Amino acid sequence: MAQANAAGGPSSASTSVASTESPFQRANPYNVHLPYAVEAEADRYLAEIKGRLKAAVQSDRITDQAIPAVVNLHKYIILYGLRFSLDDHVLLIKICFQVLLLRDLSPLDVENVAKILNTLLKKTYLIHRSQLTLPWRPLFDLYYYWEESALATRGLVKANSTLKNTLNSLLTYTRGYYSEEATEEMLQEWKPMLCPHDTSMVPAMKYFKLFLPTKRNYPPERTYHLWLDEFLTLWKAYSNSPSWEVDLFGLLSRLSFSNIGRLDWTPHANFIFTRIMNALNIPVTFASTGVKLPFGLSSTSSYNSIARWLVSAIDGGDGRILRFLDRLFLAIESYFYPVNLTSASDSLHSFIFCICDYFCNRVHNERYNRKWECKVEPSKRLTDEDITHFVRSIKPIAFHILFSNYDGERRTIFRILSLLAPDLIIPPLLEKLQHATETLTEPHRFTACIGTISAVARSLVENYPEEVIGILTSLLPGLDVNDIEKCADNFILMSDTLEMIWLVDFSRPESRNSHCKLTDTEAKTLAQTSLLEDFALQFTDKCLTLIENTSRLQTRHEIDVMEEDLNDEELAVDCAVADTFSKMLWKASPEIFELVFNRVKRYIQNRIMEAYVSGSILAGMCKSLVSVQPVKALQFFVPHLCQRIEIALSERVASNKSDQELQFSLLLLSEVISIRSVNNYFAGGEYLLIHIQRLCEVLDKVIRLQHKEEYELAFSILQNILFTLVHIRIIEYPTTFNVPKWDRETYAWAKCGDLKTMKIQWYIPSNAVLATAQTLVDKYLAVPVDELTLYITKKKDLEKEDVLRNLRMIFKLLQGCTEILDEIGTDKPRSCVSKNMEDLSHLKLTFRGRKVRVVVSELIHELLHFLLKENPHDTESLSCITNLYDTLLFSFGLDEDEIYEHMEEHRTLKNHRENPLVRSKKHLESILIERILIQHESHLWLKSMVVEENIPPVVLLDLLELSISMYSDVRSYSQDILYKILTRVPKFSHQVILPRLLECLQDRPNITHQMFKGALYLIANDKLVFFHNWAIAAKIYPALIEASHSDKPSIVELLKDISTKINRYYNEFALYSLPIRSPRASAELLELLNSNRKLDQEMETDHEICSDFLALEKCLPQILARSDIHWRQRQMATGLALLPLVPGHLPSAPMVEMWLQALISDDRVIRNMAFLALESILKIAKIKRKRTFQSIDNPEKTLPGVRKDNEFLQFRWMKSGEQQVYWDKPFLVKGNQGFYQWPKPVKMRLPDDSLPNEPNHVHALFLQSFSSTDYVSKYIQFNKIEHKKGEDTFSSDKALFLSNLFENYGDSFMEVFIPHVKELAVSAEDSHQRVASELIYGMIRGSRFWTFEKARKVEAELKPLLKAVLGNITTETVCDWELCINGSSSRSDSNRIQWFYEVLVDQSSTQGKGAFLEATHLKLLNKSLSLNWKLRLLYQEAFESAKKLIDHPYNKVRVQTSYLLATLLSMDSSYGNEGWSMGQGFPSKASLVQEVLPKLNLNVANPQFEENNIIANGNGHTEGQVNNIGGGNMDVDMDEDDEMETQSDRILQTVSQFLCFYIQSTSSSVTEELFEFLPFLCQFLGTESNKKASQTCLKALCFLSVSTIPTKVLPKIFEVMKKISHSPSRKAKMSMLEYLQTFLFTNFMSLCDQESFQELTEELIVHLMSDDAVQVRQKAARVLGGLIHCHFFEDKAQLRLIREFRSKIRAKMQRKRGGPKPKIKFVRDPSGDKTKLAEFHSGILGLCAFVEAYPYDVPKFMPDILIELEKHLNDQQPIPKTIKKTMQDFKRTHQDNWSEHKLKFTEDQLTSLTNLLVSPNYYA
């Protein structure tokens, strides 16, 4: 950037950077451009952080000193970047890592440390793995503790809501620093959890995804070679959308991304691409029923993983994966047409967005990244051909998206594609814009094109500069106030473009350097610059016209105050005009500036505008003029506006009404001297000095105006004068200020800035400027300060309007100069960061020798208390005092909110204008300059941030008084300010305000309702700042409970809100767990900091519990023991009593006793809390049981499922003696152990139900209470009370409490509970059975570890009860017993509950007692067997029983039999290519087929099948059948006329339902045996004689058609479908074609790439297109059209099909010489044979299918086909009907773009087509 002379000598500073080798890791590159040195202060700050860390660890002050020091490290990095050496970098990481692992840290502290670790580790290229090694296991333990442990899942520990994401990010950055042995250790740890039939599979895959290292810097043989093949094989074995595939695919995606070019994904491409295509949720279902399987990858969060895998799997130059990607894009292309909006549109657009983003990232990493060396082998990198191929492939989809409603995705997609291949994207985009400009009926197309070109503006300017000026000119007519949306889009595009070009006329040869030889593009572009002058003037005229038409009119004359808030449209115009006008002037030549300035000048001299809309827009334009040439512009504006103001004042008569002319002049004057919100400023503050006297003269006259709008504008003038004088800023001098002479380097368009060579000019106030500012402060602050002082001392009376005006004047004055005002400050020592920016320390303003902030804070403190006492209703003044406190505490140059907005705006603009392909800070110069300015603001902000040392307690107390004042508006704003302080200095703030806050909660005469409500609002804030410390909680909890619980609705709602947020019984619980002990430094941490302190081993293991916690634990039971508290208070207190139940601390005896009494409270809410609490207490006080460790060898080769080494886990029937011997052996209860691999060592359980010799008080109280008959009777009595009929359900909290109770104390309570269980189990009452189910659950699950004798007692009592239950279940309690049975049998050794399975397997107790009981028995049996691979023997027995029930006469029984079969056959899965059966010995699907198939009747003579029976009637399924696909339970299904047919129908219904349930409930891959039933399903679909069978067949076909099929099963399906195609049954073939259509699309990617499957598909469809039934032919043609449409057949195959269809309608005839030309018209066969007609019709249908397959395009072959079809319009029906329908569809789908499509036809073809498609005119 060219640099002009400094304006103001010593008041300016210039910075430049020399490229030197830095000793630091990565210092912040923007600091070197600041106007002050930061090196020394950075060194001081880092040394202070290190010193504080060491001192804190040395003294074990972790929470209050070490954690703040770590947070300060984060501040250090914000200010200075990673400005430390490699050794310091590694040391800081290790220190933070050890701090993170300390015990007893709160989750908030864990998150804070994790965040700084993320920052330190984020730039992984700075530290090689050889320089840093981090252990993975402590990280896993930390993650597991907070997210996955039993303590976390049951609510005993709770993290804050953001901790999980922070830890996930930390794991992302630490994965690259694990040791090489880490992968083996993780596999050994988590592979034993891999069991698809157990819930452990999901967390196991999640751990692998989170922790497994996949970086390229690890040897493959130590990482992914150990697991990749195994995981892929397991996925293929369980490919039916398992819940864990999301995490697995995330892992594979990360692996692919980290190892681009090292992995060959081609062997798995078919399988993975099929999963990806189904994940897009494309709505292709059987017969449009909408039935789809829930794919785990279908969630939008998975699309990042999908896109990353797709892009990373592309091998540079290979093209195999790219070809798969081509087919995928072609298959889904039509779903991006705007007219095809479906439920999948969101998914599809997100997918395309993600894939473009990742492709751009990969190109950047391989070609443009300079931070680290690209590790991808050169031969595997993307080539130019690959990039072009990708863009060409996705281009059609992108241009379909162009006119969609997905604006964000559209912009990003086009921006990326235009950078990858601008020649392919930008020219057609400009053509679209041209067409949209000419189209009047579709304005949205123009808006879409404008928005998209704005997104690609940088690429457009760089690659097609000759088009830019023409585009700008073409946009001018669109600046129309009548279409604000289009107008705003035009302004945005203009702004983006004008920022990158120079508005200078270089068209004349003398305006260029002679040594520059122009290229053709440059010559053309420079020639067009002659149009820029006209453009600038026209644009200015358009803006002025727009202003005139956007004035706000005041329609209600009785109100003289106009609404100040602008609506969205007004804001859009205001911002857009000002920004675009500023960008135009920024790089305009002096000549153009002069023309524009004169045009605006003349306009202002002759106009008076209203101030709020049009005046505001015009003021913004004037500000832009001043910002470019302030001296020249202000020479006109200041005298002119001051004169207008004085004239308006002199002509003013006494009136309360506002003066529009005066307000307009004040507004203009305020804005032209302002530099706020100016992006580019070309001068310092000295230029304003010459106008100060004149401005002060006017200011003195207007500052005492009475009308609020007027004096606010006057104060704004004062504020802007001060801000312009003292604000430190960057000064930019555009090259055009000199005489412009074009050269390529200086005047390049879209030129990137270079941080290393940029020269930045800063404005720093000179002494003269400071003196002027001090004079203004002394003069204009004295008046309001003195008046208010007199008012406070009652020496002068002021109206509340006068008080407000004085306060507003102080506020505006402070806002103008806060940047150089000292903090309020205290006498406490400060951090060295507060001494930063010492070079600017002389820039200070004072008032009467004192700090301005101190003077003002003292004044408003006194004024506040005066107003609260004398005039508490003056809400405006009180609110203004809050504003002042906000400014005093948080404003330093800019308010905090303004800084945040500035950062956010900069981030948005940077992302919008960044080149994502190049990056590396290659931004436009304006972006870099803005970032440097933000860096200065960050230094200023962090230097002056509110900390304990600089905030006086009186300020906090004043804000508290405002927060509890009389009016809600005042309270609300004050509370927001107070929250900001409380979150930054919580400990100090709490100490100051807590006494007063607690006082407001007490019932005293001086505590008003408003004070009480204000205090409650403070406590109830979203961040709950008063509950994150035991010291505060110990005081606030009792005060809340004992507070006066008013019956006023607002108070009740507030207390209810607080109660639910701090009570973990409710879902809205918002607190996180607090440690009850102070964290202590570890030996590793002390060693890192070279500390000489030695650890006390006793103190390390068990140190003192927080006294405040113990006080609270003691206090709460005492409060609840009182009888005089309100029921709401009691509920709140009970809920709060849940918080002291923390792991690692045994609850006190009063606390336990209180909860035991709460369990039999007459309040249902309290009882429910008690279950949760007592379960937690039992977990805390859990008695440790015996365990043993054994070593079991794993097989050499991974073979999941049943093997010899895990055979001992299988269930077997044992006699009493054998069972007693078995009982004393070690056993396992976890369902996953042994299935995949054995852990080392194997932890096994031993029977143990002994009680401690000396039980503690918890055990004693539990034994005392539950041994009491009265206590248990009350417990049972309360729990069997029905709360809401039909809504009471099985409670897992109660059941788990009971199971823990029996597990801890053995059979101590059996004698007390058993009588109640016997009574409840046989009762017919719903609530009684529910309680019985919970008790039986607790007894069975709680007795898992009992000794043999005690377990036999349970068996003796519960076995007959369970039998009785099976005959006594009601429809309302089925769900309760399902949960009971399912929970009782899970996580248990099945051989120890043999009696339980014996009862369930024996169906004699319910047999013959009705359909409901029989079906319920089967349902409960199913629940007990579900997902348990250790019950092989029971599976076999149940399978034999189920086979006998397949043709049961009752539908309810058959439905449950189907469910049971689905469960029993779920184990029949094979693993790997060798066909290892994971369910050896379990029932197989082949055995079911062998059993059932002979019993089914096909009811049609088909020579392809063995059965030849009678033909059934009926055709097609009805709409009602489709709509009722969910079905319901049906009772009896019998046909007395034909028993054999009825049996076959019932079996078919059972089989159909089994297929549905199997596909829905199991993740096992679909096998070929299931498709043996396909002929029967197709045949019976639509059977009118048996609609129930038809309905179940429809459901089965729905699920079969949307199942992803393994490749090895595909040949079997085609074989079956081929046989069906030869069936004489029309409806069978119709159903098969419907199935074929959905099946092909679901498995598209598995089929389309293999020629053999394409040939089979083609053969099948073409054959059916010649079928005798016209409906079959038409359906086959529609299927063919769909396949052509999604490009299932390649181009060569399509041309071959066209030739084949043409040959069918072109008879081969020999023409005699000289004879007539043979006709191709079809002639009816005299014999009546329809075969020839069908054959001929198939040719017509085939050609029509090709026409209908391209509804939005006209391929080369289509015109000839259309002309050929036209010749057969007079043939025999149904040929003409088919052709006419096709022609009508062609006209309908092509009419929107007919202007483009007709260019594909010749003149003759168009004539023929017009005659065919256009109806003849009657009047022609």
Side-chain angles (χ1 to χ4, degrees), residues 160-193:
N160 50 313
S161 58
T162 54
L163 177 62
K164 183 176 182 178
N165 290 336
T166 305
L167 288 180
N168 287 344
S169 299
L170 178 62
L171 298 176
T172 299
Y173 298 130
T174 55
R175 280 194 296 257
Y177 297 104
Y178 298 153
S179 64
E180 289 188 2
E181 296 78 19
T183 299
E184 298 177 26
E185 294 170 358
M186 293 176 191
L187 292 173
Q188 184 177 347
E189 181 81 11
W190 299 321
K191 274 174 71 173
M193 297 173 64

Side-chain angles (χ1 to χ4, degrees), residues 1 586 679-683 730-734 737 761 926 929:
M1 176 184 291
W586 182 35
N679 294 327
N680 312 104
Y681 210 81
F682 303 135
I730 294 175
I731 307 172
E732 298 181 63
Y733 294 96
F737 278 7
Q761 189 76 18
S926 60
I929 290 170

Side-chain angles (χ1 to χ4, degrees), residues 365-379:
N365 290 334
E366 294 180 357
R367 298 192 173 197
Y368 300 98
N369 181 36
R370 299 293 179 265
K371 293 179 182 177
W372 63 87
E373 182 183 356
C374 180
K375 302 295 174 56
V376 181
E377 297 177 12
S379 62

Side-chain angles (χ1 to χ4, degrees), residues 1173-1191:
L1174 291 172
E1175 183 203 343
S1176 301
I1177 294 172
L1178 287 173
K1179 190 172 286 292
I1180 294 170
K1182 187 175 182 179
I1183 301 172
K1184 292 187 177 181
R1185 300 302 183 186
K1186 296 178 183 178
R1187 288 175 172 83
T1188 185
F1189 295 91
Q1190 293 187 1
S1191 178

